């Protein structure tokens, strides 16, 4: 079973995923996916980190116009923007990991990538109201209020663009997920318990 | 505490609400709100049932243009379309009930109506994929597939218009709710347990 987590920036989705994985004895993947993709593709890890979960910038589109950029066998694979290469490498890794063991995967369109496989998925979305997210980011990164808010808005815009670009779905639209939790309202630890109970019920 | 339930038509939101109320010992209000509104406003119950959860039709808007139709003290209260009268009567009743006892309220913008009160609310949204909703409506009402689908699409359009008109919010947008559950995926009874556990955690 794979638990995928879509999350608003600052909602605590990553923390929830980590705790959930610990409690269920599942593997946990978030930024680790970049390292794995770097190894797999022989690309530079530091370069990949800079484009992780970011959609292709528009001036790079011309290279792939009219071609299914998600097809590994495309003849222009090596002319692709690095974001697309990373997406493809991560997608392969996500499919491999999903076959190997139970795991929690944060972001990176994992829900979409696994949609037509035989993997048993629980797709979560974690959100929280803006004030609570600002407070969390201020606390975690020692930022002033306006900087924290700016970082939330920018990161979220990128994530949304990334998800929508690679998935042809709407990021944060509830119908794409099985369970959506306002973690700001109920708290991370309660949300972890809820999801754990959900998973156990589904496995019954 | 009040549990409000927004729901896609055919998702089982009403059934979930009823079972939840039974398990928690809460009162339960759905269509009962129309009867209560009829009594309160001395309007005809059968007429009200026809406009329940429907937004004002456009040719009636002129009567209330430029006026806060939600203000009971408006001088043109008695010139209002019947839908607006029903909304106002239901809103008053919902506020009264929320003060009186723990309850579950299905639909009727209850989440929005109670937003600025001191009532402790859990706002749920229940959904399911279209195929499962069609199967449910076919089974419940003995309808053919195409009729069931038509009824879902029409009812949902009306509910959405009603909610958006009276609340100035987006119906079915996850940020308006604390917990959103795909009841088609996990099943009604499991969803009831999840919500019950959520409520108990919040009350701790």
């Amino acid at each position: 079973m794979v638990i995928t987590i879509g999350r608003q920036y600052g909602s605590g989705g990553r923390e929830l995923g980590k705790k959930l994985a610990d409690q269920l004895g599942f593997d946990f993947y978030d930024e680790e996916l970049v390292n794995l993709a770097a190894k797999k593709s022989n690309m530079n890890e530091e370069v990949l980190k800079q484009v992780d979960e970011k959609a292709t910038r528009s001036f790079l589109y011309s290279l792939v116009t009219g071609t299914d950029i998600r097809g590994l066998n495309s003849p222009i694979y090596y002319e692709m923007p690095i974001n697309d290469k990373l997406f493809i490498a991560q997608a392969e890794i996500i499919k491999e990991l999903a076959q190997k063991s139970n795991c929690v995967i944060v972001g990176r369109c994992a829900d979409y990538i696994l949609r037509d496989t035989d993997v048993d998925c629980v797709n979560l979305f974690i959100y929280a109201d803006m004030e609570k997210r600002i407070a969390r980011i201020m606390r975690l990164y020692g930022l002033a209020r306006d900087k924290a808010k700016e970082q939330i808005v920018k990161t979220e815009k990128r994530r949304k663009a990334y998800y929508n670009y690679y998935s042809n779905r709407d990021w944060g639209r509830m119908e794409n997920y099985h369970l959506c939790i306002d973690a700001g309202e109920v708290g991370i630890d309660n949300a972890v318990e809820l999801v754990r109970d959900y998973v156990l019920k589904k496995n019954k």
Side-chain angles (χ1 to χ4, degrees), chain A residues 67-129:
Chain A
T67 310
D68 177 8
I69 58 160
R70 280 154 291 197
L72 257 176
N73 298 321
S74 160
I76 60 154
Y77 178 56
Y78 291 103
E79 293 168 4
M80 266 177 215
I82 197 151
N83 318 47
D84 293 343
K85 284 194 193 175
L86 176 59
F87 177 81
I88 290 169
Q90 280 187 342
E92 289 211 311
I93 289 164
I94 285 170
K95 284 181 187 170
E96 285 170 21
L97 294 173
Q99 295 294 342
K100 226 169 55 186
S101 66
N102 293 330
C103 59
V104 174
I105 300 176
V106 179
R108 287 149 195 98
C109 304
D111 56 320
Y112 179 78
I113 289 163
L114 296 172
R115 77 196 177 290
D116 289 331
T117 66
D118 56 1
V119 177
D120 187 14
C121 282
V122 171
N123 301 323
L124 303 180
F125 196 89
I126 306 299
Y127 55 105
D129 78 30

Coordinates of all heavy atoms in Angstrom, one line a residue, chain A residues 67-129:
Chain A
T67 N 5.1 17.1 -28.4 CA 5.6 15.7 -28.1 C 5.1 15.3 -26.7 O 5.0 16.1 -25.8 CB 7.1 15.7 -28.1 OG1 7.5 16.3 -29.3 CG2 7.6 14.3 -28.0
D68 N 4.8 14.1 -26.5 CA 4.4 13.6 -25.2 C 5.7 13.5 -24.4 O 6.5 12.6 -24.5 CB 3.8 12.2 -25.3 CG 3.5 11.6 -23.9 OD1 3.6 12.4 -22.9 OD2 3.1 10.5 -23.8
I69 N 5.8 14.5 -23.5 CA 7.0 14.6 -22.8 C 7.1 13.5 -21.7 O 8.1 13.3 -21.1 CB 7.2 16.0 -22.1 CG1 6.0 16.2 -21.2 CG2 7.3 17.1 -23.1 CD1 6.2 17.2 -20.1
R70 N 6.0 12.8 -21.5 CA 6.0 11.8 -20.4 C 6.4 10.5 -21.0 O 6.5 9.5 -20.2 CB 4.7 11.8 -19.7 CG 4.6 12.9 -18.7 CD 3.1 13.2 -18.4 NE 2.6 13.9 -19.6 CZ 1.4 14.6 -19.6 NH1 0.8 14.8 -18.5 NH2 1.0 15.1 -20.7
G71 N 6.6 10.4 -22.3 CA 7.0 9.1 -22.9 C 8.5 8.9 -22.8 O 9.2 9.7 -23.4
L72 N 8.9 7.9 -22.1 CA 10.4 7.7 -22.0 C 11.0 7.4 -23.3 O 12.2 7.6 -23.5 CB 10.6 6.5 -21.0 CG 11.1 7.0 -19.6 CD1 11.2 5.7 -18.8 CD2 12.4 7.7 -19.7
N73 N 10.3 6.8 -24.2 CA 10.9 6.4 -25.5 C 10.9 7.5 -26.6 O 11.2 7.3 -27.7 CB 10.1 5.2 -26.1 CG 10.3 4.0 -25.1 OD1 11.3 3.8 -24.5 ND2 9.2 3.3 -24.9
S74 N 10.5 8.7 -26.1 CA 10.5 9.8 -27.1 C 11.9 10.0 -27.6 O 12.9 10.0 -26.9 CB 10.0 11.0 -26.4 OG 10.4 12.2 -27.1
P75 N 12.0 10.2 -28.9 CA 13.3 10.4 -29.5 C 14.0 11.7 -29.0 O 15.2 11.8 -29.1 CB 13.0 10.5 -31.0 CG 11.6 10.9 -31.1 CD 10.9 10.3 -29.9
I76 N 13.2 12.6 -28.5 CA 13.9 13.9 -28.0 C 14.1 13.9 -26.5 O 14.2 14.9 -25.9 CB 13.1 15.1 -28.5 CG1 11.7 15.1 -27.9 CG2 13.0 15.3 -30.0 CD1 11.1 16.5 -27.7
Y77 N 14.1 12.7 -25.9 CA 14.3 12.6 -24.5 C 15.5 13.5 -24.0 O 15.4 14.2 -23.0 CB 14.5 11.2 -24.1 CG 14.7 11.0 -22.6 CD1 13.8 11.4 -21.7 CD2 15.8 10.3 -22.2 CE1 14.0 11.2 -20.3 CE2 16.0 10.0 -20.8 CZ 15.1 10.5 -19.9 OH 15.4 10.3 -18.6
Y78 N 16.6 13.4 -24.8 CA 17.8 14.1 -24.3 C 17.8 15.6 -24.6 O 18.7 16.3 -24.2 CB 19.0 13.4 -24.9 CG 19.2 12.1 -24.2 CD1 18.8 10.9 -24.9 CD2 19.6 11.9 -22.9 CE1 18.9 9.7 -24.3 CE2 19.7 10.7 -22.3 CZ 19.3 9.6 -23.0 OH 19.4 8.4 -22.4
E79 N 16.7 16.1 -25.2 CA 16.6 17.5 -25.4 C 15.7 18.1 -24.4 O 15.4 19.3 -24.5 CB 16.2 17.8 -26.9 CG 17.2 17.4 -27.9 CD 16.6 17.5 -29.3 OE1 15.4 17.9 -29.4 OE2 17.3 17.1 -30.2
M80 N 15.1 17.3 -23.5 CA 14.1 17.8 -22.6 C 14.7 18.8 -21.6 O 15.8 18.7 -21.2 CB 13.6 16.7 -21.8 CG 12.4 16.1 -22.4 SD 11.9 14.7 -21.4 CE 11.3 13.7 -22.7
P81 N 13.8 19.7 -21.1 CA 14.2 20.5 -20.0 C 14.5 19.6 -18.8 O 13.9 18.6 -18.7 CB 13.0 21.4 -19.7 CG 12.1 21.3 -20.9 CD 12.5 20.0 -21.6
I82 N 15.4 20.1 -17.9 CA 15.8 19.3 -16.8 C 14.6 18.9 -15.9 O 14.6 17.8 -15.3 CB 16.9 19.9 -16.1 CG1 17.7 18.9 -15.2 CG2 16.5 21.1 -15.3 CD1 19.1 19.3 -15.0
N83 N 13.6 19.8 -15.8 CA 12.5 19.6 -14.9 C 11.7 18.3 -15.4 O 11.3 17.5 -14.6 CB 11.4 20.7 -15.0 CG 12.1 22.1 -14.9 OD1 13.0 22.3 -15.6 ND2 11.6 22.9 -14.1
D84 N 11.6 18.2 -16.7 CA 10.9 17.1 -17.3 C 11.7 15.8 -17.1 O 11.1 14.7 -16.8 CB 10.6 17.3 -18.8 CG 9.7 18.4 -19.0 OD1 9.0 18.8 -18.1 OD2 9.6 18.9 -20.1
K85 N 13.0 15.9 -17.2 CA 13.8 14.7 -17.0 C 13.7 14.2 -15.5 O 13.6 13.0 -15.2 CB 15.3 15.0 -17.2 CG 15.7 15.1 -18.6 CD 17.2 15.1 -18.7 CE 17.7 15.5 -20.1 NZ 19.1 15.6 -20.2
L86 N 13.7 15.2 -14.6 CA 13.5 14.9 -13.2 C 12.2 14.2 -13.0 O 12.0 13.2 -12.3 CB 13.7 16.1 -12.3 CG 13.4 15.9 -10.8 CD1 14.3 14.8 -10.2 CD2 13.5 17.2 -10.0
F87 N 11.1 14.8 -13.6 CA 9.8 14.2 -13.4 C 9.8 12.8 -13.9 O 9.2 11.9 -13.2 CB 8.7 15.0 -14.2 CG 7.3 14.4 -14.1 CD1 6.6 14.7 -12.9 CD2 6.9 13.6 -15.0 CE1 5.3 14.1 -12.8 CE2 5.6 13.0 -14.9 CZ 4.8 13.2 -13.8
I88 N 10.3 12.5 -15.0 CA 10.3 11.2 -15.5 C 11.1 10.2 -14.7 O 10.7 9.1 -14.4 CB 10.9 11.2 -17.0 CG1 9.8 11.9 -17.9 CG2 11.1 9.8 -17.5 CD1 10.4 12.2 -19.3
A89 N 12.3 10.7 -14.2 CA 13.1 9.8 -13.4 C 12.3 9.5 -12.0 O 12.3 8.4 -11.6 CB 14.4 10.5 -13.1
Q90 N 11.7 10.6 -11.5 CA 11.0 10.4 -10.2 C 9.8 9.5 -10.4 O 9.5 8.7 -9.5 CB 10.5 11.8 -9.6 CG 11.7 12.5 -8.9 CD 11.2 13.8 -8.2 OE1 10.1 14.3 -8.5 NE2 12.0 14.3 -7.3
A91 N 9.1 9.6 -11.5 CA 8.0 8.8 -11.8 C 8.4 7.3 -11.9 O 7.7 6.4 -11.3 CB 7.3 9.2 -13.1
E92 N 9.5 7.0 -12.5 CA 10.0 5.6 -12.6 C 10.3 5.1 -11.2 O 10.0 4.0 -10.8 CB 11.2 5.6 -13.4 CG 10.9 5.8 -14.9 CD 11.9 5.0 -15.7 OE1 13.2 5.1 -15.4 OE2 11.5 4.2 -16.6
I93 N 11.0 6.0 -10.4 CA 11.3 5.6 -9.1 C 10.1 5.3 -8.2 O 10.0 4.3 -7.4 CB 12.3 6.6 -8.4 CG1 13.6 6.6 -9.1 CG2 12.4 6.4 -6.9 CD1 14.5 7.8 -8.9
I94 N 9.1 6.2 -8.3 CA 7.9 6.1 -7.5 C 7.2 4.8 -7.8 O 6.8 4.0 -6.9 CB 7.0 7.3 -7.7 CG1 7.5 8.5 -7.0 CG2 5.6 7.0 -7.3 CD1 6.9 9.8 -7.3
K95 N 7.2 4.4 -9.1 CA 6.5 3.2 -9.5 C 7.3 2.0 -8.9 O 6.7 1.0 -8.5 CB 6.4 3.1 -11.0 CG 5.3 3.9 -11.5 CD 5.1 3.8 -13.0 CE 4.1 4.8 -13.6 NZ 4.1 4.9 -15.1
E96 N 8.6 2.1 -9.0 CA 9.4 1.0 -8.4 C 9.3 0.8 -6.9 O 9.1 -0.3 -6.4 CB 10.9 1.2 -8.7 CG 11.3 1.0 -10.2 CD 12.7 1.5 -10.5 OE1 13.5 1.6 -9.5 OE2 13.0 1.7 -11.7
L97 N 9.3 2.0 -6.2 CA 9.2 1.9 -4.8 C 7.8 1.4 -4.4 O 7.7 0.6 -3.4 CB 9.4 3.3 -4.2 CG 10.7 4.0 -4.3 CD1 10.7 5.4 -3.8 CD2 11.8 3.2 -3.5
A98 N 6.8 1.7 -5.1 CA 5.4 1.3 -4.8 C 5.3 -0.2 -4.9 O 4.5 -0.8 -4.2 CB 4.5 2.0 -5.7
Q99 N 6.1 -0.8 -5.8 CA 6.0 -2.3 -5.9 C 6.8 -3.0 -4.8 O 6.6 -4.1 -4.5 CB 6.6 -2.7 -7.3 CG 5.8 -2.2 -8.5 CD 4.4 -2.8 -8.6 OE1 4.1 -3.8 -8.0 NE2 3.5 -2.1 -9.3
K100 N 7.8 -2.2 -4.3 CA 8.8 -2.9 -3.4 C 8.3 -3.0 -2.0 O 8.5 -4.0 -1.3 CB 10.1 -2.1 -3.4 CG 11.3 -2.9 -3.5 CD 12.6 -2.1 -3.8 CE 12.8 -1.0 -2.8 NZ 13.9 -0.1 -3.2
S101 N 7.7 -1.9 -1.4 CA 7.2 -2.0 0.0 C 6.2 -1.0 0.2 O 6.0 -0.1 -0.6 CB 8.4 -1.7 0.9 OG 8.9 -0.4 0.7
N102 N 5.5 -1.1 1.4 CA 4.5 -0.1 1.8 C 5.3 1.2 2.0 O 6.3 1.2 2.7 CB 3.9 -0.5 3.1 CG 3.0 -1.7 3.0 OD1 2.4 -2.0 1.9 ND2 2.9 -2.5 4.0
C103 N 4.7 2.3 1.6 CA 5.4 3.6 1.8 C 4.5 4.8 1.8 O 3.4 4.7 1.3 CB 6.6 3.7 0.8 SG 6.1 3.7 -0.9
V104 N 5.0 5.9 2.3 CA 4.4 7.2 2.3 C 5.2 8.0 1.3 O 6.4 8.1 1.5 CB 4.4 7.8 3.7 CG1 3.8 9.2 3.6 CG2 3.5 7.0 4.6
I105 N 4.5 8.7 0.3 CA 5.2 9.5 -0.6 C 4.6 10.9 -0.6 O 3.4 11.1 -0.7 CB 5.2 9.0 -2.0 CG1 5.8 7.6 -2.1 CG2 5.9 9.9 -3.0 CD1 5.7 6.9 -3.5
V106 N 5.5 11.9 -0.3 CA 5.0 13.3 -0.2 C 5.2 14.0 -1.6 O 6.2 14.0 -2.1 CB 5.8 14.1 0.9 CG1 5.3 15.5 1.0 CG2 5.6 13.4 2.2
G107 N 4.1 14.6 -2.1 CA 4.1 15.4 -3.3 C 4.5 14.7 -4.5 O 4.3 13.5 -4.7
R108 N 5.1 15.4 -5.5 CA 5.6 14.9 -6.7 C 4.6 14.1 -7.6 O 5.0 13.1 -8.3 CB 6.9 14.0 -6.4 CG 8.0 15.0 -6.0 CD 9.0 14.4 -5.0 NE 9.8 15.4 -4.5 CZ 9.6 16.0 -3.3 NH1 8.6 15.7 -2.6 NH2 10.4 17.0 -2.9
C109 N 3.4 14.5 -7.5 CA 2.3 13.9 -8.3 C 2.2 12.4 -8.1 O 1.7 11.7 -9.0 CB 2.5 14.2 -9.8 SG 2.7 15.9 -10.3
A110 N 2.6 11.9 -7.0 CA 2.6 10.4 -6.8 C 1.2 9.8 -7.0 O 1.0 8.7 -7.6 CB 3.1 10.1 -5.4
D111 N 0.2 10.6 -6.5 CA -1.2 10.1 -6.7 C -1.5 9.9 -8.2 O -2.1 8.9 -8.6 CB -2.2 11.0 -6.1 CG -2.1 12.5 -6.6 OD1 -1.0 12.9 -6.8 OD2 -3.1 13.1 -6.9
Y112 N -1.1 10.8 -9.0 CA -1.3 10.7 -10.4 C -0.5 9.7 -11.1 O -1.0 8.9 -11.9 CB -1.1 12.1 -11.1 CG -1.3 12.1 -12.6 CD1 -2.6 12.2 -13.1 CD2 -0.2 12.1 -13.4 CE1 -2.8 12.2 -14.5 CE2 -0.4 12.1 -14.8 CZ -1.7 12.2 -15.3 OH -1.9 12.2 -16.7
I113 N 0.8 9.6 -10.7 CA 1.7 8.6 -11.3 C 1.3 7.2 -11.1 O 1.4 6.3 -11.9 CB 3.1 8.9 -10.8 CG1 3.7 10.2 -11.3 CG2 4.1 7.7 -11.1 CD1 4.9 10.7 -10.6
L114 N 0.6 7.0 -9.9 CA 0.3 5.6 -9.6 C -1.2 5.3 -9.9 O -1.7 4.2 -9.7 CB 0.5 5.4 -8.1 CG 1.9 5.4 -7.6 CD1 2.0 5.4 -6.1 CD2 2.8 4.3 -8.2
R115 N -1.9 6.2 -10.6 CA -3.3 6.0 -10.8 C -3.7 4.8 -11.6 O -4.8 4.2 -11.3 CB -3.9 7.3 -11.4 CG -3.7 7.4 -12.9 CD -3.9 8.8 -13.4 NE -3.6 8.9 -14.9 CZ -2.4 8.8 -15.4 NH1 -1.3 8.6 -14.6 NH2 -2.2 8.9 -16.7
D116 N -3.0 4.5 -12.6 CA -3.4 3.3 -13.4 C -2.6 2.1 -13.1 O -2.6 1.1 -13.9 CB -3.2 3.7 -14.9 CG -4.3 4.7 -15.3 OD1 -5.4 4.7 -14.7 OD2 -4.0 5.5 -16.2
T117 N -1.9 2.0 -12.0 CA -1.2 0.9 -11.7 C -2.0 0.0 -10.8 O -3.1 0.4 -10.4 CB 0.1 1.2 -10.9 OG1 -0.3 1.8 -9.6 CG2 1.0 2.2 -11.7
D118 N -1.6 -1.2 -10.4 CA -2.4 -2.0 -9.5 C -2.0 -1.8 -8.0 O -2.4 -2.5 -7.1 CB -2.2 -3.5 -9.8 CG -0.7 -3.9 -9.8 OD1 0.1 -3.0 -9.5 OD2 -0.5 -5.1 -10.1
V119 N -1.3 -0.7 -7.8 CA -0.9 -0.3 -6.4 C -2.2 0.2 -5.6 O -2.9 0.9 -6.1 CB 0.2 0.8 -6.4 CG1 0.5 1.2 -4.9 CG2 1.4 0.3 -7.1
D120 N -2.3 -0.3 -4.4 CA -3.4 0.1 -3.5 C -3.0 1.4 -2.9 O -2.1 1.5 -2.0 CB -3.7 -0.9 -2.4 CG -4.9 -0.6 -1.6 OD1 -5.7 0.2 -2.0 OD2 -5.1 -1.2 -0.6
C121 N -3.6 2.5 -3.4 CA -3.2 3.9 -2.9 C -4.3 4.5 -2.0 O -5.5 4.3 -2.2 CB -3.1 4.8 -4.1 SG -1.6 4.6 -5.0
V122 N -3.8 5.2 -1.0 CA -4.6 6.1 -0.2 C -4.1 7.5 -0.5 O -2.9 7.8 -0.2 CB -4.6 5.9 1.3 CG1 -5.3 7.0 2.1 CG2 -5.2 4.5 1.6
N123 N -4.9 8.3 -1.2 CA -4.4 9.7 -1.6 C -5.0 10.7 -0.6 O -6.2 10.9 -0.5 CB -4.9 10.0 -3.0 CG -4.4 9.0 -4.0 OD1 -3.2 8.5 -3.9 ND2 -5.2 8.6 -5.0
L124 N -4.1 11.4 0.1 CA -4.4 12.4 1.1 C -4.1 13.8 0.6 O -3.2 14.0 -0.2 CB -3.6 12.2 2.4 CG -3.6 10.9 3.1 CD1 -2.7 11.0 4.3 CD2 -5.0 10.6 3.5
F125 N -4.9 14.7 1.1 CA -4.5 16.1 1.0 C -4.6 16.8 2.3 O -5.6 16.7 3.0 CB -5.4 16.9 -0.1 CG -4.8 18.2 -0.5 CD1 -3.9 18.2 -1.6 CD2 -5.0 19.4 0.2 CE1 -3.3 19.4 -2.0 CE2 -4.4 20.6 -0.2 CZ -3.6 20.6 -1.3
I126 N -3.5 17.5 2.7 CA -3.4 18.2 4.0 C -3.4 19.7 3.8 O -2.6 20.2 3.0 CB -2.2 17.7 4.7 CG1 -2.1 16.2 4.8 CG2 -2.1 18.3 6.1 CD1 -3.3 15.5 5.6
Y127 N -4.3 20.4 4.5 CA -4.3 21.8 4.3 C -4.5 22.5 5.7 O -4.7 21.8 6.7 CB -5.4 22.3 3.4 CG -6.8 21.7 3.7 CD1 -7.8 22.6 4.2 CD2 -7.1 20.4 3.5 CE1 -9.0 22.1 4.6 CE2 -8.4 19.9 3.8 CZ -9.3 20.8 4.3 OH -10.6 20.3 4.7
A128 N -4.4 23.8 5.7 CA -4.6 24.5 7.0 C -4.9 26.0 6.6 O -4.5 26.4 5.5 CB -3.4 24.4 7.9
D129 N -5.5 26.7 7.5 CA -5.8 28.1 7.1 C -4.5 28.9 7.1 O -3.5 28.6 7.7 CB -7.0 28.7 7.8 CG -6.6 29.2 9.2 OD1 -5.5 29.6 9.5 OD2 -7.5 29.2 10.1

